[in-house]
Amino acid sequence: MEKKDRGIILSIKDVNKSFPGVKALDNVSIEIERGIVHGIVGENGAGKSTLMKILSGVYTKDSGTVVFDGEEIEHTTPIESLNRGLSIIYQEFNLVNTMSVGENIFLGRFSEMHGMRGTHAEARKLLDSIGCSIDTHTLVGELSAAEKQMVEITKALSFRSKLIIMDEPSSSLTSDELKQLFSIIGDLRAQGVSIIYISHKLDEIFELCDMVTVMRDGHVIDTRPVGELTRADMITKMVGRSIEHEYPERPHCVGETLMEVRSINTHKLHDISFELKKGEILGFVGLVGAGRTEIVRAICGADKVKGHEVLIGGVPVHIKKPAHAKKLGIGLLPEDRKLQGLVLRFSVQSNIAMASLDKMRKFGFIDASQERGIAERQIANLGIKTPSPQTTVLSLSGGNQQKCVVGRWLEINPQILIMDEPTRGIDVGAKYEIYVLMKQIVENGGSIIMISSELPEVLNMSNRVLTICEGRITGEFNPEEVSAQTIMDSAIG
Amino acid sequence: MTKRFDLKKFLLNYLVLVAIVLLVIITIIVEPKFLSGDNLTNIMRQFGPLSFVSLGMTFVIIGGFIDLSVGGLISLVAVVTVSLIDPLGQLNALIVGVLFGAFLGFLNSMVLISCGALTQAEALFITYGMSAVYSAVALIYTGGSTQHMSWLTTPQTIFTAIGSGTVGIFSVSFIIFLVCLLLLWIFHNKTYSGRSISYTGGNKVAAELSGIPIKRSVILIYTICGLMSAVGSIVLFSRITTAAPIIGKNYETNAILSVVVGGTTLKGGKGSVLRTVLGVLLITLMSNCMNLLGVSAYMQVVLKGAILVLAIWLDNRKEQ
Amino acid sequence: MQTSILSFGKRTLRALTRQKAVIAIIAMLILMLFFKTNFYTSYNLLNVLKDAAVNEIIAFGVTLTVIAAGCDLSVGGVMCLSGITAIQMMNGGMSMWLAITLSILIGALIGFINGFFVVQQRTEAFIITLGMGMLLKGVCQQLTDAHPVSCTNMEFMKIANGKIGGVIPNLAVIMIVFGVLVYALLRYTSFGRNLYAIGGDYEVAKYSGINVVTTKWIAFVLSGAMTAIAGVLLSSKLNTGSSIYGDDTALMVNCGVVVGGTSFAGGVGGIPESFIGLMVLQLLTNCMNMLGIAPYLQQVAQGVVIVGIIWLDCFGRKRKREDV
């Protein structure tokens, strides 16, 4: 790409931001040119989201200058930022699910739009301009993730944004939807809009971005055109050390068949049957919404499903609720650890001991002294960083929180551990520790079913991979023998 | 690692204790009669029906739910139990009454479970409806009339003992209360079921996935509340020696008040029966102290409402 | 243009039929066709509206708070208080309209205090308004020494008991007027739309530049004011102010609002929903009176209906959740 002098839309200079006990941003300086896609990469805690929140007005910087479109910005509020032409699209979407698409786009601007009719008419025009055909009266809660994203982009357009920040935009998209997103980003770029693209999917950064900034521990490590870096370079800069292996050596402990699942049929799933072997890490690969989580929830009895068979060690078992699964030695680490996995207000100790209540049980009574022992054992075993076992689990980092949930299950020595997105929202260093744990589990005779939306992770850790597409198992592969491309093709269907 | 003693946090967490201490000190200064044996006995006597109901309500709230049916339940249990004293004898009537209350609580939980009610709001309305049903059934049962225990042919020595008997300076009802308190405390902190209730209130989804029996916890909290409310009902009619089909009125709001004032959070998961005791103590002391200080009955209601508002406000600030 | 009318019609129909409350009302109306009673007389039907009016007006105010993801359980106390203060002020020589206005302002003030706790202090609405209601009850008892007070001003009675053109009850008209006003407020003003946003997602609304604190606070003020109006009307209707009114009102009105489809979760519902929801309970009472059912049994029926509708509502959601 030729380096033209496009002009700078956003100039960040020596910005600092501290929170009690941690310096989130340390003399951060970045320049964003007009009309390009500028990627920002970094681990969790690198400072990306703090920086974005300062730009959008949620936080206030401690010092430094921010100049947007020629205007120096001191303090700002989210709505002022929007009105200036700086929009941000968050990973969790800033939309009201109970209101219509049209009203969401013009939220808070009802009177400016001359009421309902004007709102919907203008919304229609904007949606059409990006080729989106969603009815403006549809409730946002009924939309898919990709459609919600379209609404967010339309919202940004309604403010005539000159800079749109996208935070992890691809995490819930199918590859078709991703293509559409890239195409829209391309159109926006052609119109002179700048995009800041925050993602940990390095492939996307390489495909989409013109420039990239790498951040680490609140510092900007480097900003340069994307073509000048390799993937390995980027990871090194992100992590500060050369990670020769992002993953531990793949374990090979596969034994005999342990569990058979036959004919799961629900609205979403069609005739799901597969086997799990002892000591195996079985990966489920598929797009978001393909049905992977539904399969494991059916097996564990978390969803009420009938008509299928589960055999363990050749013996049919009836699992009607998660407690039955637990008795059989099957544990489920849910997708959303904050909502489904942890009791955030309780201590680390209580969270870890949560599945071990019946172990501590004697004639209906609980031997509470065991609880502390269990907690301390797992804290040491997994290297959970916490001031004390009594600390509220809410104050731990994502990685340590996840370890609490893992520890909970390890305590009961499950023969099958199902891990749904085990490293979501966890930084690279902590991810590695979880992989090592997984390896230890299978080396000790356990089996793991691993669901992950990060293909490299599944491909590098699994002994066998099942691809799931639109509720069907479309393929079974050995990731050591088959290319990632083949597997992905099978998952896309 | 030394932990700095955070005075503000301590005060906020144990505000009820501070309030009690302040209240007692002020009252003693203004009216030394507070410390007389008579008055102290009186105070213990005040640990009456409400304290039992509040203990039961504590479990429901810790479990993440709420029970507005206790008012109607108390009325119904009262009229049924009194009506059974003659036919069944007093001991049997007592047992039937307590079990009946537990059954009604169990019924509440069945209604909630059968429709899959998961939230406090849903429980709010359904138990409110159940209260109306129970009250109405009580009215139908007696045809609207009040049953006076003096009309009974069977001697009611047990009930008289419960209502006004004393053992030394302690009233019988107070002793029963202490026993219940001990049992419930042990149940909550030392048993599998008690612990399950805490986890259920903390995060139902996470608890279920970890194998904690959610349905059983829901059944337990409402059954315990029903049972304790029945005990409260018996203490109540034993004291006033009549059972009117409306005697349960307003018990639910006062019980919730006691629990919240004591510091158990409405969000569920965390809390303790001991805290509820403090809450009941504060409310009881307020009545006693204000009577001694000559505050009118209506003003007391106003102040109680003000304390509730204050307690809830602070409960919220504590959690933030 | 045609398609938008069609889609609006389709959406409205779909929204209405989803309401169990509507079905309940239709069921009752059909049921009453089979009995020989005075139900289907204009006199009775107007009476239903008249009897419902006071609670419906409260419901309109409460709806505002529920849409904003709150609720208002202090309405029983506010209702009592406004009636009592209006009458006592009038008895003390104040002109009628001035007394009424001041009572309404007192209601608004209480709403303001509720708003302080719920919005500014972010306290749980249901319990704090419950406490406030208790407090106000005590105030009412204190003010009246627990005796009902009658109004010496003869004009006062006429407000609630009068009929326009000798036929249409004032109360019905007042109720309809308020209903329409609040409906318009919710549908056609920024305030109303912002209220839905706040109830739907507080943070999102905040980041969109909506003044969430002020808007939600005003909802509580309006709820207090409207409840005060209803309380004045009730006292006018009975020509008495008493501290025993409104014991059940708070739960019944909030229940009715939810039964009709204005959910506690916030962001959904509105005047038609709340109106119908509460009407289910009111109509039920009327039907039972017409059928000569004893008061105790009526209470059972009311309880069963409330439990029944909420149960069905929950069950429906459970089915949806488990429909995998």
Side-chain angles (χ1 to χ4, degrees):
Chain A
M1 198 152 296
E2 296 167 10
K3 191 149 204 308
K4 315 190 261 191
D5 184 18
R6 297 188 191 86
I8 306 293
I9 179 80
L10 175 66
S11 163
I12 301 168
K13 221 151 166 219
D14 296 327
V15 165
N16 285 285
K17 176 73 184 170
S18 293
F19 294 107
V22 72
K23 182 131 200 196
L25 294 176
D26 194 341
N27 282 323
V28 167
S29 301
I30 309 177
E31 279 191 341
I32 312 282
E33 295 174 35
R34 290 179 198 273
I36 63 161
V37 182
H38 190 124
I40 300 193
V41 298
E43 292 186 323
N44 276 20
K48 317 185 291 287
S49 66
T50 308
L51 182 60
M52 297 309 124
K53 288 195 171 146
I54 289 176
L55 291 176
S56 66
V58 177
Y59 293 156
T60 316
K61 59 177 158 49
D62 295 337
S63 65
T65 45
V66 173
V67 179
F68 180 73
D69 202 18
E71 183 193 340
E72 181 165 339
I73 319 265
E74 256 310 304
H75 306 288
T76 188
T77 63
I79 189 68
E80 282 172 13
S81 188
L82 283 169
N83 281 322
R84 257 186 226 108
L86 199 163
S87 290
I88 174 164
I89 300 176
Y90 293 100
Q91 207 176 356
E92 313 85 41
F93 300 122
N94 227 27
L95 300 168
V96 181
N97 282 321
T98 51
M99 296 180 90
S100 65
V101 165
E103 283 203 85
N104 263 284
I105 293 173
F106 291 106
L107 206 62
R109 297 182 282 171
F110 191 70
S111 42
E112 280 170 47
M113 286 294 123
H114 308 298
M116 220 39 128
R117 204 173 283 176
T119 299
H120 284 288
E122 194 59 33
R124 178 79 268 142
K125 273 201 287 191
L126 286 170
L127 282 168
D128 289 337
S129 77
I130 55 167
C132 183
S133 59
I134 306 172
D135 183 355
T136 60
H137 293 283
T138 320
L139 295 182
V140 162
E142 295 169 8
L143 298 176
S144 72
E147 289 169 325
K148 285 185 191 175
Q149 209 164 56
M150 296 291 133
V151 175
E152 287 268 32
I153 294 176
T154 311
K155 205 159 98 169
L157 291 178
S158 76
F159 282 101
R160 297 193 216 297
S161 297
K162 302 169 194 136
L163 172 64
I164 302 179
I165 304 172
M166 297 191 186
D167 189 1
E168 303 286 357
S170 62
S171 50
S172 326
L173 300 184
T174 65
S175 67
D176 272 342
E177 289 164 347
L178 193 62
K179 278 202 196 91
Q180 196 186 12
L181 176 65
F182 280 17
S183 152
I184 293 175
I185 292 177
D187 289 340
L188 291 170
R189 179 170 61 192
Q191 291 165 31
V193 177
S194 302
I195 313 272
I196 293 181
Y197 193 88
I198 302 173
S199 177
H200 62 271
K201 305 246 177 89
L202 301 181
D203 298 330
E204 290 167 17
I205 303 282
F206 280 110
E207 184 179 337
L208 190 63
C209 302
D210 305 303
M211 298 283 292
V212 68
T213 296
V214 182
M215 290 182 71
R216 186 178 81 228
D217 294 331
H219 301 270
V220 170
I221 303 299
D222 200 2
T223 300
R224 57 177 63 238
V226 135
E228 295 177 16
L229 284 171
T230 67
R231 184 188 167 93
D233 288 336
M234 231 188 263
I235 294 182
T236 307
K237 288 181 200 282
M238 275 167 67
V239 171
R241 58 185 182 273
S242 175
I243 287 197
E244 287 174 323
H245 305 286
E246 283 172 61
Y247 306 93
E249 211 180 286
R250 195 192 309 263
H252 289 103
C253 326
V254 184
E256 290 304 307
T257 302
L258 175 61
M259 175 171 80
E260 286 175 70
V261 173
R262 295 186 191 153
S263 304
I264 302 181
N265 278 293
T266 67
H267 288 313
K268 236 182 152 173
L269 303 174
H270 307 285
D271 211 26
I272 301 284
S273 304
F274 65 96
E275 286 176 2
L276 175 69
K277 300 200 191 336
K278 187 167 151 78
E280 174 178 44
I281 297 183
L282 176 65
F284 281 7
V285 172
L287 305 172
V288 169
R292 299 162 299 161
T293 300
E294 284 75 6
I295 295 175
V296 298
R297 283 180 65 89
I299 296 172
C300 288
D303 288 334
K304 306 226 175 319
V305 176
K306 287 190 263 206
H308 63 290
E309 281 183 297
V310 177
L311 294 97
I312 298 196
V315 176
V317 295
H318 300 287
I319 301 175
K320 292 221 181 61
K321 49 182 185 166
H324 296 166
K326 188 179 116 179
K327 275 214 186 72
L328 293 165
I330 304 176
L332 174 59
L333 241 84
E335 230 182 312
D336 186 337
R337 63 174 166 273
K338 282 201 176 149
L339 284 180
Q340 304 166 317
L342 294 165
V343 187
L344 290 173
R345 284 177 292 133
F346 282 13
S347 64
V348 168
Q349 181 170 310
S350 294
N351 272 283
I352 293 179
M354 199 151 119
S356 304
L357 276 189
D358 35 12
K359 239 180 34 167
M360 300 189 279
R361 187 183 188 174
K362 271 199 208 113
F363 305 113
F365 286 84
I366 298 270
D367 185 359
S369 61
Q370 280 193 49
E371 196 186 354
R372 186 156 183 129
I374 290 174
E376 284 174 353
R377 180 162 54 239
Q378 292 303 330
I379 289 174
N381 187 18
L382 304 177
I384 300 176
K385 292 192 196 59
T386 171
S388 102
Q390 309 305 336
T391 314
T392 308
V393 84
L394 179 63
S395 52
L396 264 53
S397 74
N400 287 306
Q401 285 177 347
Q402 187 71 309
K403 285 185 190 173
C404 288
V405 188
V406 174
R408 174 193 306 163
W409 287 108
L410 286 185
E411 185 58 33
I412 63 163
N413 269 322
Q415 46 177 349
I416 299 171
L417 189 58
I418 302 174
M419 305 175 89
D420 197 345
E421 304 287 356
T423 64
R424 176 178 282 173
I426 296 180
D427 59 63
V428 170
K431 277 192 213 265
Y432 188 83
E433 288 177 30
I434 303 265
Y435 300 144
V436 168
L437 278 171
M438 288 170 69
K439 184 162 178 236
Q440 280 173 3
I441 292 172
V442 296
E443 281 170 352
N444 285 327
S447 309
I448 293 180
I449 296 180
M450 176 185 193
I451 299 174
S452 173
S453 300
E454 289 183 37
L455 193 59
E457 172 176 86
V458 184
L459 296 183
N460 278 293
M461 291 300 296
S462 312
N463 299 115
R464 192 165 51 111
V465 160
L466 294 179
T467 52
I468 292 146
C469 177
E470 288 177 0
R472 287 188 171 76
I473 297 183
T474 52
E476 186 181 332
F477 303 95
N478 181 342
E480 290 180 282
E481 292 169 4
V482 159
S483 74
Q485 193 55 40
T486 316
I487 294 178
M488 202 52 200
D489 282 337
S490 179
I492 297 175
Chain B
M1 196 174 3
T2 50
K3 250 189 349 183
R4 271 220 323 260
F5 183 65
D6 193 342
L7 184 68
K8 191 165 164 209
K9 198 162 165 217
F10 175 79
L11 280 183
L12 217 53
N13 258 318
Y14 291 100
L15 198 63
V16 62
L17 209 52
V18 172
I20 290 175
V21 168
L22 280 176
L23 184 62
V24 169
I25 290 176
I26 291 176
T27 312
I28 292 180
I29 293 173
V30 178
E31 185 53 84
K33 257 203 276 181
F34 180 79
L35 290 173
S36 71
D38 263 349
N39 193 46
L40 291 176
T41 312
N42 214 9
I43 293 177
M44 272 187 284
R45 194 175 293 281
Q46 296 298 326
F47 266 78
L50 181 61
S51 42
F52 292 96
V53 183
S54 304
L55 287 183
M57 186 68 80
T58 312
F59 277 93
V60 178
I61 290 179
I62 290 179
F65 285 90
I66 198 149
D67 190 351
L68 291 185
S69 73
V70 292
L73 196 152
I74 287 174
S75 302
L76 186 54
V77 166
V79 298
V80 167
T81 310
V82 170
S83 73
L84 290 176
I85 294 179
D86 274 343
L88 295 181
Q90 46 174 349
L91 188 59
N92 293 335
L94 185 86
I95 295 174
V96 169
V98 172
L99 290 177
F100 183 51
F103 168 72
L104 291 177
F106 175 75
L107 190 64
N108 284 335
S109 68
M110 282 294 112
V111 174
L112 286 170
I113 290 177
S114 60
C115 71
L118 288 178
T119 66
Q120 223 175 29
E122 290 164 345
L124 187 99
F125 289 123
I126 290 188
T127 53
Y128 170 63
M130 296 306 284
S131 186
V133 173
Y134 295 152
S135 303
V137 172
L139 276 168
I140 296 173
Y141 189 81
T142 66
S145 68
T146 308
Q147 300 155 308
H148 296 281
M149 288 176 85
S150 51
W151 297 342
L152 296 172
T153 54
T154 320
Q156 318 107 38
T157 45
I158 297 183
F159 295 101
T160 319
I162 294 174
S164 41
T166 54
V167 177
I169 52 160
F170 298 106
S171 66
V172 171
S173 57
F174 188 68
I175 295 177
I176 300 177
F177 172 70
L178 287 179
V179 171
C180 289
L181 179 64
L182 183 66
L183 290 174
L184 287 175
W185 188 88
I186 293 175
F187 174 73
H188 181 219
N189 289 295
K190 301 281 177 199
T191 66
Y192 174 75
S193 300
R195 215 37 116 61
S196 302
I197 291 173
S198 295
Y199 279 118
T200 304
N203 184 335
K204 268 181 211 70
V205 174
E208 191 178 19
L209 285 178
S210 302
I212 296 200
I214 306 294
K215 282 200 184 121
R216 193 211 301 202
S217 300
V218 175
I219 293 175
L220 276 173
I221 57 182
Y222 280 97
T223 307
I224 290 174
C225 192
L227 197 149
M228 293 306 296
S229 300
V231 174
S233 175
I234 290 171
V235 171
L236 178 59
F237 73 68
S238 299
R239 271 212 202 153
I240 61 179
T241 69
T242 58
I246 51 149
I247 61 175
K249 217 158 199 269
N250 285 327
Y251 267 91
E252 60 282 324
T253 19
N254 283 309
I256 295 172
L257 168 64
S258 304
V259 173
V260 173
V261 163
T264 295
T265 172
L266 281 169
K267 294 187 182 74
K270 289 193 154 188
S272 141
V273 280
L274 291 177
R275 280 186 169 280
T276 302
V277 173
L278 290 178
V280 176
L281 181 59
L282 179 60
I283 308 269
T284 305
L285 279 177
M286 264 180 60
S287 297
N288 184 274
C289 294
M290 288 200 282
N291 281 334
L292 282 177
L293 295 174
V295 179
S296 89
Y298 312 129
M299 268 317 278
Q300 288 190 31
V301 177
V302 174
L303 282 170
K304 233 177 23 177
I307 299 277
L308 174 62
V309 169
L310 200 68
I312 297 162
W313 176 44
L314 290 169
D315 172 48
N316 219 75
R317 299 206 62 167
K318 182 176 56 166
E319 290 283 322
Q320 279 167 11
Chain C
M1 200 39 63
Q2 243 186 344
T3 45
S4 72
I5 296 178
L6 197 61
S7 79
F8 174 75
K10 262 202 303 198
R11 271 181 288 121
T12 317
L13 199 63
R14 192 177 61 168
L16 277 182
T17 49
R18 236 187 245 152
Q19 309 298 357
K20 310 222 171 7
V22 178
I23 297 174
I25 290 189
I26 294 178
M28 280 190 274
L29 290 175
I30 294 178
L31 187 72
M32 294 309 284
L33 288 171
F34 291 107
F35 291 91
K36 207 160 147 224
T37 61
N38 287 324
F39 183 75
Y40 278 104
T41 58
S42 59
Y43 175 73
N44 183 50
L45 293 174
L46 284 175
N47 256 353
V48 170
L49 286 179
K50 209 172 76 155
D51 289 338
V54 170
N55 284 338
E56 288 284 6
I57 292 173
I58 299 178
F60 297 154
V62 168
T63 301
L64 293 174
T65 62
V66 175
I67 288 176
C71 67
D72 192 346
L73 293 172
S74 67
V75 294
V78 176
M79 192 177 84
C80 270
L81 186 64
S82 63
I84 290 171
T85 53
I87 289 183
Q88 285 186 334
M89 283 194 275
M90 277 187 271
N91 287 353
M94 198 184 285
S95 83
M96 185 172 80
W97 288 109
L98 183 60
I100 291 176
T101 309
L102 284 179
S103 296
I104 296 175
L105 285 177
I106 291 176
L109 177 65
I110 294 169
F112 182 85
I113 297 173
N114 282 337
F116 168 72
F117 284 114
V118 177
V119 185
Q120 221 273 350
Q121 293 290 308
R122 310 208 55 169
T123 315
E124 189 68 54
F126 98 80
I127 193 79
I128 199 95
T129 54
L130 193 67
M132 187 61 85
M134 272 182 68
L135 197 159
L136 291 173
K137 237 341 136 87
V139 172
C140 287
Q141 287 173 335
Q142 176 74 355
L143 284 177
T144 64
D145 205 24
H147 297 309
V149 285
S150 298
C151 187
T152 51
N153 187 333
M154 283 299 118
E155 288 298 304
F156 188 54
M157 257 182 67
K158 294 193 192 153
I159 300 177
N161 292 307
K163 290 191 170 57
I164 295 188
V167 174
I168 309 174
N170 283 354
L171 277 179
V173 172
I174 297 174
M175 171 180 78
I176 292 173
V177 166
F178 274 115
V180 170
L181 281 176
V182 180
Y183 176 77
L185 185 71
L186 283 173
R187 185 149 163 77
Y188 297 114
T189 66
S190 295
F191 171 78
R193 302 320 298 172
N194 289 345
L195 215 57
Y196 280 102
I198 292 170
D201 195 322
Y202 191 84
E203 295 295 309
V204 173
K206 193 162 90 168
Y207 289 149
S208 300
I210 295 175
N211 193 336
V212 288
V213 171
T214 307
T215 309
K216 197 167 170 178
W217 205 322
I218 292 177
F220 278 92
V221 173
L222 288 176
S223 178
M226 293 203 69
T227 307
I229 292 172
V232 166
L233 286 172
L234 181 64
S235 296
S236 161
K237 184 172 168 201
L238 304 172
N239 204 31
T240 314
S242 165
S243 59
I244 63 163
Y245 298 157
D247 269 341
D248 280 327
T249 309
L251 280 167
M252 192 168 90
V253 169
N254 280 272
C255 236
V257 161
V258 170
V259 156
T262 302
S263 163
F264 260 21
V268 290
I271 295 303
E273 287 89 341
S274 300
F275 180 83
I276 292 175
L278 193 58
M279 201 47 104
V280 168
L281 299 175
Q282 301 281 161
L283 201 61
L284 182 67
T285 311
N286 184 268
C287 289
M288 291 197 285
N289 282 333
M290 285 289 123
L291 292 174
I293 298 180
Y296 314 146
L297 291 176
Q298 285 194 27
Q299 246 196 300
V300 177
Q302 258 203 355
V304 169
V305 166
I306 291 177
V307 173
I309 293 189
I310 307 275
W311 193 95
L312 281 171
D313 199 42
C314 281
F315 190 68
R317 263 175 283 154
K318 174 181 168 181
R319 279 266 299 271
K320 234 171 53 164
R321 269 199 312 265
E322 295 182 353
D323 193 22
V324 240

